[in-house]
Amino acid sequence: MSRAAVVELIRKGQRFLLSCHTRPDGDAIGSMLGVDALLRSLGKETWMFNVDPVPPSLHFLPGIERIERAVPDGTKFDAFLITDTASRTLLPANLPPTSVTGPVVILDHHFAHDDFGDVIAREPDAVATAEVVMRLMKDLGVERIPAEAAMPLYTALVADTGGFRYRGTSGDILRMAASLLDAGADAVAAPKNLFEVWSADRMRLLQLSLETLETHFEGRFALVQVTQQMSVETRTNEDDAEGLVNYPRMLAGVEVAALLFQRAGDAPVTKVSLRANHDVDVSTIAITMGGGGHRAAAGAAPPIAISAARETLLAAVARALGVTS
Ligand SMILES: [Mn+2]
């Protein structure tokens, strides 16, 4: 259950299969590319895959062209390394493939939603899975960061710390980031591509969602919504709505911010994204709606209509804020 076991596996093995959670983000992809570069620098053979495409915001990363959409036929792998994945449900059902003869290895920094994997390096004190990969690199005695690992790992750190602004950002993290810059990462390209290259459709979605902004409980709670109609009108999807919850969070005085996103489909499902300023624990709100997460960032996806989700959410937030009525 530790990095030491992962080090042993890497030393002994020769051929490794790599993957990360579906609808992958900057840390999932960046960490996987970092592990890939690390293993190849040690003379190992690797195969990276994800059933979902790499999102456009990560197309600038070197090495993404090597990420396949499937596992090769006939090749045997000594282990299957999975980055940034807190739950079995975030992977396709048919994993691991029979071509993996060794253990399933988890490299992650989330609290587990459900435990899976044979060898688990899950370190919730790390700001990103990339930090776990950096620790692993040190354990393996690699003194020079492989050039190809620098940009992906730096990008993963930027992604999960919101550009070195979120809780957990420390001197150690900035020193780690500095070592990645020294190894060749680009300090401008990572945040620019992650946060500041939006399609016109996504910008329009932001505009529409901000028109739904409402505040409650004397400005302590702010909410925006994305209805199915808005997604259709702007030709956008759930990925484009990612991060919209940060806008209500910016409002001065807000302690809890939320985004309600109405999913496409016949049965009603509303995705609830929650963010906290100050010390409110939004994971408690998410849990009452069937989800979970961290103190400052949590979510749920109850199978109810968006209007019903709004009512349930308002009641849950009132309780979390200690508002009576
Ligand atoms: Mn992560």
Side-chain angles (χ1 to χ4, degrees):
M1 289 285 281
S2 72
R3 283 204 315 274
V6 184
V7 167
E8 272 309 297
L9 273 167
I10 290 175
R11 289 215 169 109
K12 282 190 201 143
Q14 178 54 32
R15 203 174 285 125
F16 296 89
L17 183 65
L18 276 52
S19 194
C20 52
H21 60 77
T22 48
R23 296 182 56 241
D25 58 14
D27 188 27
I29 292 287
S31 296
M32 179 173 72
L33 288 168
V35 173
D36 179 72
L38 170 64
L39 292 175
R40 284 186 299 114
S41 78
L42 296 169
K44 313 291 181 179
E45 295 163 56
T46 57
W47 181 281
M48 290 182 281
F49 84 103
N50 195 301
V51 291
D52 286 335
V54 175
S57 64
L58 298 172
H59 284 182
F60 74 102
L61 284 177
I64 60 147
E65 67 285 348
R66 298 186 52 251
I67 302 173
E68 305 286 346
R69 299 288 288 278
V71 179
D73 290 333
T75 311
K76 295 285 183 200
F77 295 98
D78 300 318
F80 181 21
L81 276 61
I82 301 169
T83 54
D84 201 47
T85 305
S87 166
R88 183 70 188 77
T89 60
L90 297 169
L91 293 168
N94 58 348
L95 294 183
T98 51
S99 56
V100 175
T101 56
V104 173
V105 179
I106 308 298
L107 299 172
D108 188 25
H109 70 122
H110 296 96
F111 292 102
H113 296 186
D114 56 61
D115 250 327
F116 73 108
D118 306 311
V119 176
I120 301 166
R122 180 174 279 121
E123 305 181 358
D125 67 314
V127 295
T129 299
E131 186 180 357
V132 180
V133 176
M134 290 294 281
R135 292 171 180 173
L136 186 63
M137 203 180 293
K138 205 170 182 184
D139 294 347
L140 281 159
V142 174
E143 283 174 9
R144 250 187 118 81
I145 298 168
E148 284 177 292
M151 193 67 206
L153 292 174
Y154 184 83
T155 300
L157 288 180
V158 171
D160 272 24
T161 60
F164 304 113
R165 292 179 305 156
Y166 298 159
R167 201 179 298 234
T169 302
S170 63
D172 284 342
I173 293 301
L174 293 182
R175 276 182 284 275
M176 187 177 287
S179 70
L180 291 164
L181 291 178
D182 289 344
D186 182 334
V188 174
K192 179 68 191 168
N193 283 283
L194 283 172
F195 306 132
E196 296 178 351
V197 184
W198 282 37
S199 67
D201 288 340
R202 192 179 185 192
M203 193 66 78
R204 176 80 182 125
L205 181 70
L206 169 64
Q207 191 176 7
L208 292 179
S209 70
L210 287 179
E211 282 168 16
T212 72
L213 175 69
E214 52 184 307
T215 60
H216 297 269
F217 316 127
E218 297 174 321
R220 298 169 70 196
F221 175 54
L223 168 69
V224 294
Q225 302 186 47
V226 173
T227 62
Q228 185 52 37
Q229 193 191 335
M230 287 160 59
S231 297
V232 171
E233 186 184 330
T234 57
R235 297 176 299 264
T236 54
N237 57 33
E238 200 166 328
D239 290 337
D240 293 305
E242 195 78 46
L244 293 185
V245 68
N246 289 316
Y247 289 87
R249 193 172 69 99
M250 287 182 210
L251 209 50
V254 161
E255 294 174 49
V256 176
L259 165 71
L260 293 177
F261 178 91
Q262 186 182 16
R263 279 200 179 138
D266 296 333
V269 176
T270 303
K271 185 179 160 190
V272 186
S273 303
L274 291 155
R275 295 292 182 276
N277 286 322
H278 314 296
D279 280 332
V280 182
D281 180 358
V282 291
S283 72
T284 61
I285 301 169
I287 288 165
T288 65
M289 301 187 78
H294 304 282
R295 283 184 67 88
I304 53 178
I306 192 164
S307 54
R310 181 181 167 281
E311 292 308 316
T312 309
L313 177 62
L314 278 170
V317 171
R319 281 193 299 277
L321 292 175
V323 179
T324 49
S325 79

